[in-house]
Amino acid sequence: MSDQLDPREFISGFLAEADEYLAAANTRLLELERSVKAGQSNARAVRELFRALHTIKGLSAMVGVDPIVDIAHEMEAYLRGADKAGGFSTVAAVEVLLQGVKAIESRVRALAHQQPIPRPELALLDALAALKDGAPAPTPLRSTELALPPELLSKISASEREQLLQGVAAGRRAVRVAFVPSTQRAAEGITITTARKRVEAIAELVKVLPFSAPPSEVDPGGIRFLLFLLTDADDARLAEAVSASPADILSLASTPVAAAAEAPSPSLYGTDEEPELGGETRSYVRVEVARLDEAMERLSALVVSRFRLARAVGAAAQRGADVREVTTILADVARDLRDLRGAIMRARMVSMAEVLERIPLLVRSLARSVGKSVRVELRAGRAELDKSVADRIFPALVHLVRNAVDHALETPAQRRELGKPEEGTLIVECRRRSDSELELIIQDDGRGIDPERVARKAGVPVPTSPEALLELLARPGLSTLEQATHVSGRGMGMDIVKRIAVDQLGGELSLRTTPGQGTTFTLKVPLSITIVDAFSFECGAQLFVVPVSMVEEIVEVDPALVKRFPHGRRSSGMFERRGEAIPLLPLSQLLRRGAGGENEVQGGEGLFPKALIVRRNGAPYAFGVDRMLGQQEVVVRPLEDPLVRTVGVTGSTDLGNGIPTLVLDLIALSAATAVPPGDA
């Protein structure tokens, strides 16, 4: 048996690492491009781009993917020169670097699909080599620009110096903060790692410089750190962040070196990477999504087993058995399962910032292809989403972004005529609305949607509400463009968005538009679609469940206050709730579980005692049910077979009795009734 390691063993890890660093490289390139267009340098973007490509190069060499090594090496050569020049670059150089990253991405995909990896195109290598030959000239070193002794100044690169000076020119404070590790601070959880995190919340961290000094009572280890910062915070906040005194904070404002002659001259490490000194640090383990799916499957089985156990305990109690101790244990198991569910769900969550980081590059490509100028604002915050939901919703976001760039935003010439900035704005924002729901907003400042034009294209009356306009836009095959382009115009975009967000995920899609000012699409999607909290109820002697996130309210229905519709309407009536007219839909009639007819809302003992209120496109609908049973966690199994799919049913679950229970989509059912709210 050979002791040699097979590089193929590392392929899965390489692919995950490469995707992460390629995404970072694209993000930094777009940042650099914005700086170049503004006539500024961006030393930080250049350094981080270099580090990402250097890591990709090393990983590729480890698994033997030489074509990627060759491309990354040529890109590194140019970036090394740009770093020495203080972070300056050109638009043409950024374009070639983006082509280089795209070439690396295509070869990573080829490796992932076990396809042959092509050699780099000679034209690309020649373009990268030409960049290297025309790299910006190094920025002259000017030792009097920062209040630092020569020993420290020599450890600051040209790009870092330029970053500090640009910050000062922009009105920010450039300071250095001393952090001295100690046993007492480590016991309190204050290490260089925690200090960095706290500082980065109120300042831009340019460099961390470790250096040695003679041991003392305060500093028995003889190791200190200097943090070089750009900040708007005062000395008191900075001192609190690093557990120091204001005396440890010195300004780096431009002064001659002679003014800082009394500064100490420690012997320096030749690196800005600080050694680990203990304390709390975060470590990560990469896990395949398939393994998380397997863990969720095992949890799903435990949830069903708990249902069965609860039913068995209930049956034993009815026979007169003493089940008090078992009931207590069952309650503990239920609580532990909920905690386990939360832990697994947290492991499956992905940052929306990571999901959306591909949007700017997409917009850049689309805008260039249609001759428009677009500025993208991503506002993801700390929102997270289950990996399976994120994978499903991203194509819907892509369609909305494509429509905004191609349909909504005007050309620079058109925007000038309208008195708008030549550069259009596209905002993609997400925020967590509750413990079970995420809201995604796609907003542009374009021409808006003309209902008359849409109606004319569809050959129907002009919609009179945003909800009706959205329904019209989501018609398969409908497009507002006169002819299809390579970007859009085939009438598939909004139909796909609605199918993903509403039909597949059980979410909501809404629209707000103002002609001449812009359009906003809002998607509300569940954080997870595997194990959800649901209401169970009885209708027509059969059990059903509906996700809690879908239900706005459960109300008591007074049959005497329900107004009947004329005979022949599918809705049985309407009632008023807080000044709002709400259609009342008999669920048993819609599901063909009861006889229906005149007596469904006429009064009678036990008829329609409860109703579930949901909203579709902002309009309320109430579904009458026979009996509410309670709220519980359920495992949703989607109905994949098209032969058993039906409107209003999203899947099935097992409540512990071994009989499949249907999971309803009341929003889809309300759409199927086609009863306009307020239309009595």
Side-chain angles (χ1 to χ4, degrees), residues 69-89:
V69 174
D70 295 340
I71 298 172
H73 178 75
E74 293 295 335
M75 297 174 71
E76 276 185 336
Y78 171 78
L79 292 171
R80 192 175 290 109
D83 181 59
K84 292 179 180 178
F88 285 97
S89 186

Side-chain angles (χ1 to χ4, degrees), residues 41 43 58 163 186 200 214 231 260 262 290 292 299 313 339 359 373 376 394 397 423-424 466 482 496 501 621 642 650:
S41 67
Q163 185 177 350
E200 287 176 337
T231 184
E262 297 181 1
L292 295 176
L299 175 61
V313 171
D339 292 343
I359 294 293
S373 179
V376 183
F394 187 74
L397 293 177
E423 186 178 56
E482 297 299 330
I496 292 175
Y621 293 84
T650 59

Side-chain angles (χ1 to χ4, degrees), residues 442-456:
I442 298 86
Q443 178 182 356
D444 66 72
D445 66 344
R447 57 174 56 93
I449 301 174
D450 184 356
E452 294 185 2
R453 184 166 179 263
V454 176
R456 190 165 55 250

